[in-house]
Amino acid sequence: MRKIAICLLAFVLLTLPSVADEGMWIPMLLKKYNIEDMQKAGFKLTAEDIYSINQASLKDAVVGLGYEDRPFSHFCTGEIVSDQGLVITNHHCSYGMIQAHSTLEHNYLRDGFWASSLKEELINPGITASILVRMEDVTERIMKAVEGVADEASRAEKIKEECERIEAAAVEGTNLKANIKPYFNGNQYFMCVFKVFRDVRLVGAPNSAIGKFGGDTDNWVWPRHTGDFSVLRIYAGKDNEPAEVSEHNVPYKPAKSFKISARGMNEGDFTMVFGYPGTTKEYLTSYAIDQIAQVENPNKVKIRTAKLNVINEAMASDELLRIKYSAKAASVANAWKKWQGEIKGLERFRTADGKRRMEQEFDNWVRTSGNSEYAGLTARYKKLYEARRGYVLALAYASEAGLGGAEIIGLLSLFDKFFKVYEETEDKEALKVGLLERTKAFYKDYDVVTDLRILKEMLRLYNSSGMEEHWIPEEVRALAGDMSDLDKWFKKSIFTDQARLEAFVGDLTSKSIAKARKEPLYRMMQGIQTLVKEQISPRLNEIQRELSMLDRAWIAGLMEMRPDKVFYPDANSTLRVAYGKIAGYAPRDGVYYLPYTTLSGIIEKDNPDIYDYNVPERLKELYRTKDFGPYAQDGDVPVCFIATNHTTGGNSGSPVLDGEGNLVGINFDRAWEGVMSDMQYSSEICRNIAVDIRYVLFIIDKYAGARRLIDEMDIVF
Ligand code: ARG
Ligand code: GLU
């Protein structure tokens, strides 16, 4: 039996076509670098079909989701699946929107939400959906602008100015938006020109028991059974162009929408992910890797563990607290868990050792090639990372345990900003209105008891961090040293009671502001801010500036050293293509994970006593009666699958496509053993996780009964 399994595995591995797997490629350059390799791996279309400026192409159906004030740092990706601007993305991408529309009476997180007509689709102020119109290499112009500029700070300033000039000229007289970003650590620059839609509505979302099935327990883990999808719609003005939110807007008619394939995929089949990966750091040196694995990640993990312990307890105790803290907890837990996986992966794959070997090779190359430009580069890296260590740690505590620790501290920094404008502004009334709005929004999801508990934990950790004393603000030391007064200060504070705070804002005066500023909590917040501003940031920024010079030279050097290798740029929240194949993997000795999960697996996990595994009755009934519609395969409904596509945060919601460019899944996660792929990708173990489109359709159609959405889509069976 065992022999057969091993033979089978070997067979599977051997017969998989060899594909590069690693890499997040620039759509505009696929023709030059990738398309042959992609076609060899099973891709049936052309590079023009993916990205074209002359005809409708797949890129026209991919959307970057963002916020109005920073639309180009896409927090997620989505894909258009109908000629009426219907968009699918992840449940966790819309989580904030679903949560914002939820109350105890209409608890869409718990019960799901399905608009039964266009009229019922819910507006989400501030959310944007960007569609790439074209991109352009602007490297030469940027490099020309900085010719002969040696000082790194003025160089950055010059680049910024030149970017703004080019961006403005590119979109003059249009309603498009242009954005230039550096690639390869600033060795290249590309401009992306977008249509940015500002009216994005919530159309549907399954209840969390489906959309977040497995919760934070299963997060970052394979095998997985999460129906992590939701449905949005882009609205445009009558002219089909981006418009302000308005009831007169109409569903956007896209140039292209994805055809959906419900035919299913097999291990070894080609897949590609087309979306907006946020940040990767594939070209870091061993010094950086060591610092992340030994200093940054472990300390941030420790702080968040303490915070999560408090939040999870609160959420388990009360339904309202669960609503209030669900989105916050998910976001705290997400990075917390990833950082732990990263540490493990970096250690297991001896990433730092591998980097050290590469650095040695580089040094040898520099010596033998007589290339003096790069002489001493690795030694300077070493010195800078040593210098950076203390600052990075101090910043981790200041931000994770301090300013981003208890929420009240965040509120205080916000008020602090407003107070600073108060003296200068003419329009004090408008300022008050703004403050009242913020106050209301804050208190909608705030619980004083929970936050005080968090604050205490944060102070305790901050104070016992083992850092030299000058890295811990005096006010933190004082409050943490003697917590007996803390309850009293907290209780009495103007800021810890909504009515009190609203009254305070209502008759804001210079005098009352002065009084508020004297509160111990306020002074502590200021103490941390001052530490960051005066002790940490100036030197850290200086180090970062020097590092960015090295980083630029490092990549340029590597490219020179390996002229035959095709490099891909680190993710930077711009549109990329990753391609690979459906594949299982061996997480550890003696175990092989299949690349598919099914509805049966959900039923296996069912446990009404565990919140994350409480399967809804309706789903169990569909299972019992085998009411699967046309979405089943081998008598079961496929739920999730994994593939070797190289993805990262921001790729959430990205379309996973088959060789013909049909939508077969929605990307939403990566598997635990390979989350170090932001720093080192390994096709052996790095897997992206997608929800199978057939599960999405099954839930929309059979579970939620939202036929009108299915009817909009173009599905091939
Ligand atoms: N790990 C996925 C990502 O990085 C999903 C996160 C949301 N889910 C959760 N359980 N917190 O975004
Ligand atoms: N869940 C991630 C996101 O929100 C995608 C998973 C990853 O980091 O690869 O973008």
Side-chain angles (χ1 to χ4, degrees):
M1 190 61 207
R2 203 173 141 207
K3 247 193 195 138
I4 297 179
I6 291 173
C7 286
L8 200 71
L9 169 59
F11 174 77
V12 167
L13 292 179
L14 285 175
T15 51
L16 296 179
S18 77
V19 201
D21 296 313
E22 174 171 3
M24 302 171 171
W25 305 97
I26 300 175
M28 176 187 144
L29 300 178
L30 292 177
K31 202 175 202 154
K32 190 162 162 196
Y33 294 124
N34 313 95
I35 194 67
E36 279 176 31
D37 191 33
M38 290 174 76
Q39 286 167 341
K40 238 186 271 162
F43 186 58
K44 303 277 184 332
L45 308 178
T46 65
E48 277 278 295
D49 291 324
I50 300 177
Y51 172 92
S52 170
I53 47 170
N54 303 312
Q55 65 192 50
S57 54
L58 295 179
K59 76 155 174 48
D60 299 318
V62 182
V63 306
L65 295 170
Y67 301 103
E68 196 150 19
D69 56 344
R70 52 202 144 100
F72 308 118
S73 21
H74 316 269
F75 64 83
C76 274
T77 307
E79 49 278 354
I80 304 180
V81 292
S82 88
D83 57 6
Q84 297 169 62
L86 200 65
V87 169
I88 303 186
T89 184
N90 290 145
H91 184 263
H92 80 261
C93 294
S94 306
Y95 204 69
M97 306 176 220
I98 307 168
Q99 198 253 353
H101 292 295
S102 290
T103 59
L104 271 181
E105 296 80 56
H106 299 284
N107 191 343
Y108 300 139
L109 284 179
R110 189 190 57 203
D111 306 330
F113 168 77
W114 296 97
S116 60
S117 65
L118 290 179
K119 267 210 188 69
E120 283 179 16
E121 299 179 356
L122 299 171
I123 289 174
N124 303 288
I127 300 291
T128 56
S130 299
I131 298 176
L132 180 71
V133 177
R134 64 185 159 89
M135 61 186 300
E136 197 180 311
D137 187 344
V138 294
T139 312
E140 258 178 53
R141 295 173 63 180
I142 304 278
M143 291 309 161
K144 201 144 173 224
V146 295
E147 232 164 39
V149 185
D151 173 59
E152 194 62 11
S154 14
R155 189 176 185 275
E157 194 49 43
K158 278 247 154 45
I159 291 180
K160 192 164 159 257
E161 285 165 19
E162 184 65 9
C163 284
E164 280 166 9
R165 245 194 310 276
I166 302 175
E167 286 165 353
V171 298
E172 202 189 313
T174 71
N175 63 355
L176 302 172
K177 300 250 190 301
N179 179 251
I180 298 175
K181 280 184 178 155
Y183 291 63
F184 293 114
N185 294 342
N187 283 291
Q188 288 181 29
Y189 285 82
F190 286 84
M191 173 167 65
C192 293
V193 177
F194 292 99
K195 270 193 185 172
V196 181
F197 292 88
R198 300 181 295 270
D199 191 343
V200 181
R201 301 192 192 170
L202 180 65
V203 175
N207 43 346
S208 293
I210 292 195
K212 208 187 162 187
F213 182 77
D216 285 311
T217 317
D218 283 6
N219 191 22
W220 298 113
V221 171
W222 181 258
R224 189 67 156 277
H225 300 85
T226 313
D228 198 343
F229 80 95
S230 64
V231 187
L232 306 171
R233 192 189 303 278
I234 300 175
Y235 280 72
K238 292 252 156 57
D239 55 359
N240 205 33
E241 294 296 324
E244 289 305 323
V245 169
S246 154
E247 52 176 305
H248 301 299
N249 288 345
V250 293
Y252 168 63
K253 295 219 172 338
K256 181 95 190 168
S257 63
F258 283 108
K259 203 184 230 178
I260 294 171
S261 167
R263 288 186 188 140
M265 307 272 284
N266 295 306
E267 183 146 24
D269 282 354
F270 174 92
T271 59
M272 86 180 224
V273 172
F274 200 5
Y276 285 90
T279 313
T280 57
K281 296 176 175 169
E282 309 288 345
Y283 303 100
L284 287 182
T285 57
S286 60
Y287 312 106
I289 299 287
D290 281 338
Q291 202 155 85
I292 290 169
Q294 291 160 17
V295 182
E296 293 186 60
N297 280 8
N299 280 284
K300 291 193 291 192
V301 165
K302 188 164 87 184
I303 300 168
R304 289 200 178 193
T305 304
K307 198 190 280 187
L308 282 166
N309 286 343
V310 177
I311 296 181
N312 287 337
E313 206 178 294
M315 281 173 58
S317 72
D318 180 80
E319 186 56 28
L320 185 60
L321 285 183
R322 182 175 290 283
I323 298 183
K324 285 185 170 184
Y325 278 86
S326 53
K328 296 182 216 173
S331 99
V332 174
N334 195 39
W336 166 80
K337 199 161 176 187
K338 183 179 82 171
W339 291 330
Q340 298 174 60
E342 252 171 24
I343 298 175
K344 277 205 149 108
L346 292 174
E347 280 169 3
R348 176 171 169 186
F349 281 84
R350 300 183 185 283
T351 303
D353 288 343
K355 301 271 185 183
R356 266 186 280 277
R357 279 195 297 278
M358 170 120 97
E359 285 147 25
Q360 250 161 30
E361 187 192 333
F362 186 81
D363 286 343
N364 289 338
W365 171 74
V366 171
R367 221 172 300 122
T368 50
S369 67
N371 201 329
S372 61
E373 200 185 331
Y374 304 114
L377 188 63
T378 52
R380 278 168 70 203
Y381 259 128
K382 179 164 191 274
K383 250 179 92 186
L384 277 172
Y385 273 100
E386 272 162 16
R388 185 176 179 267
R389 189 179 186 283
Y391 293 90
V392 161
L393 189 59
L395 188 64
Y397 275 91
S399 53
E400 287 284 330
L403 299 171
E407 280 177 84
I408 195 69
I409 307 298
L411 183 76
L412 290 171
S413 353
L414 180 80
F415 269 75
D416 191 50
K417 264 196 222 134
F418 274 97
F419 289 168
K420 283 178 185 142
V421 235
Y422 181 83
E423 303 296 340
E424 281 118 60
T425 182
E426 298 281 301
D427 200 351
K428 300 207 178 345
E429 281 314 305
L431 188 94
K432 283 187 198 176
V433 172
L435 268 182
L436 280 176
E437 258 168 40
R438 298 293 188 102
T439 304
K440 226 171 110 201
F442 179 84
Y443 270 95
K444 176 174 181 289
D445 295 326
Y446 186 67
D447 179 61
V448 229
V449 178
T450 306
D451 204 37
L452 176 58
R453 292 186 56 202
I454 295 177
L455 180 64
K456 286 183 175 170
E457 282 299 296
M458 295 296 105
L459 288 175
R460 186 179 61 75
L461 282 176
Y462 207 152
N463 202 35
S464 62
S465 56
M467 293 188 292
E468 289 163 49
E469 222 170 56
H470 66 274
W471 290 127
I472 308 169
E474 187 186 314
E475 296 85 351
V476 170
R477 275 184 275 139
L479 278 177
D482 177 10
M483 294 216 201
S484 58
D485 279 341
L486 192 59
D487 294 80
K488 192 178 77 199
W489 294 127
F490 198 83
K491 244 203 196 100
K492 269 177 45 183
S493 167
I494 297 168
F495 299 92
T496 52
D497 180 87
Q498 185 171 1
R500 202 152 56 211
L501 186 54
E502 282 175 0
F504 166 78
V505 173
D507 43 35
L508 207 59
T509 62
S510 304
K511 226 173 118 196
S512 65
I513 290 180
K515 191 169 157 232
R517 280 181 164 148
K518 288 209 183 91
E519 286 195 9
L521 287 179
Y522 202 105
R523 287 213 306 269
M524 182 182 79
M525 176 275 296
Q526 285 178 315
I528 306 172
Q529 276 190 349
T530 309
L531 178 88
V532 173
K533 212 168 111 204
E534 289 173 10
Q535 309 297 321
I536 303 176
S537 292
R539 178 68 186 126
L540 192 57
N541 290 345
E542 214 176 294
I543 296 174
Q544 275 327 126
R545 258 199 303 281
E546 283 185 56
L547 278 176
S548 66
M549 278 164 71
L550 297 193
D551 289 343
R552 202 162 64 233
W554 174 236
I555 288 215
L558 288 177
M559 287 174 157
E560 246 174 84
M561 179 172 90
R562 303 217 173 129
D564 297 329
K565 183 178 150 86
V566 182
F567 286 74
Y568 62 92
D570 268 321
N572 59 355
S573 278
T574 61
L575 190 58
R576 300 293 178 88
V577 167
Y579 58 96
K581 55 189 173 287
I582 308 265
Y585 69 102
R588 57 184 178 278
D589 190 31
V591 181
Y592 186 73
Y593 283 158
L594 296 176
Y596 267 101
T597 58
T598 59
L599 185 53
S600 293
I602 295 185
I603 303 299
E604 262 173 33
K605 277 185 179 169
D606 179 35
N607 185 342
D609 297 331
I610 302 178
Y611 181 86
D612 287 342
Y613 294 136
N614 192 356
V615 179
E617 206 36 57
R618 166 108 192 100
L619 191 60
K620 286 194 234 181
E621 187 190 312
L622 290 169
Y623 180 74
R624 263 195 310 271
T625 55
K626 293 210 175 302
D627 190 1
F628 300 153
Y631 311 113
Q633 178 179 335
D634 307 327
D636 212 334
V637 182
V639 174
C640 292
F641 64 86
I642 48 175
T644 59
N645 302 302
H646 191 182
T647 56
T648 189
N651 266 128
S652 271
S654 297
V656 183
L657 307 171
D658 67 9
E660 275 148 40
N662 298 318
L663 185 66
V664 291
I666 320 295
N667 187 72
F668 72 96
D669 210 2
R670 274 174 291 162
W672 178 248
E673 295 80 3
V675 287
M676 79 300 178
S677 65
D678 289 352
M679 282 165 271
Q680 185 190 359
Y681 178 90
S682 151
S683 58
E684 193 186 310
I685 205 135
C686 294
R687 296 290 178 272
N688 65 310
I689 307 179
V691 49
D692 193 296
I693 199 66
R694 291 168 293 180
Y695 187 55
V696 172
L697 298 172
F698 166 74
I699 293 296
I700 295 179
D701 184 353
K702 302 306 272 184
Y703 180 84
R707 271 298 317 181
R708 77 171 180 115
L709 302 180
I710 301 283
D711 293 340
E712 273 186 47
M713 301 177 199
D714 184 0
I715 308 170
V716 290
F717 289 96

